[in-house]
Amino acid sequence: MKKIAVHLASMTISLIWLVIYQQTWNPFSLKGSQFLKFYLILLMGFYTSVLILKFLQKPISKTVRYFMLMILLVGIIKLLKGLYLGKPIGYLTILLIIEVVVISLHIDNKRSER
């Protein structure tokens, strides 16, 4: 439960940034550059918490996978919205590709540990 709290704290930080600096709870209403800032804060905070747990040699729970997929889903939804509206999506596409690679490496590591 403590490990989940660490990951939730990183997500909470990104939501606090969203409310304080953008005055909204809806990340999908943000324009491209503002969404990228939110998404990078979310990604960096989450993966920093994962690296801290690995550094402390704490086992990483299975729910980390669900957090990763949820973050990926947020990016995919914004990508689809950008495609629909005809907006530039290059940076978000690159971030999502990197994230898919990281998720697949994480899942492969979990399978090899068994």
Side-chain angles (χ1 to χ4, degrees):
M1 186 66 178
K2 291 178 187 176
K3 294 175 208 87
I4 294 173
V6 171
H7 301 306
L8 284 175
S10 64
M11 291 184 168
T12 304
I13 291 169
S14 62
L15 287 175
I16 289 171
W17 178 88
L18 189 65
V19 171
I20 291 175
Y21 291 101
Q22 302 302 318
Q23 289 83 34
T24 184
W25 286 96
N26 182 7
F28 304 112
S29 67
L30 298 176
K31 294 191 182 221
S33 63
Q34 300 303 324
F35 179 80
L36 285 175
K37 288 178 187 176
F38 163 76
Y39 200 66
L40 282 172
I41 291 169
L42 182 64
L43 283 175
M44 293 302 174
F46 179 77
Y47 287 112
T48 300
S49 66
V50 170
L51 289 174
I52 288 171
L53 289 176
K54 281 190 174 196
F55 178 74
L56 296 174
Q57 298 177 348
K58 303 280 185 185
I60 297 174
S61 65
K62 293 179 183 179
T63 54
V64 169
R65 195 173 306 149
Y66 298 119
F67 279 114
M68 288 179 175
L69 293 175
M70 185 184 74
I71 293 170
L72 180 66
L73 183 64
V74 168
I76 290 172
I77 290 170
K78 186 64 177 180
L79 177 80
L80 293 174
K81 183 179 177 187
L83 282 171
Y84 179 74
L85 296 174
K87 302 292 184 177
I89 53 162
Y91 291 124
L92 183 58
T93 304
I94 292 169
L95 282 174
L96 291 174
I97 290 170
I98 292 170
E99 193 173 355
V100 166
V101 169
V102 169
I103 290 172
S104 63
L105 289 174
H106 176 74
I107 292 173
D108 287 342
N109 285 341
K110 287 292 184 183
R111 287 183 182 157
S112 65
E113 288 176 3
R114 291 181 189 172

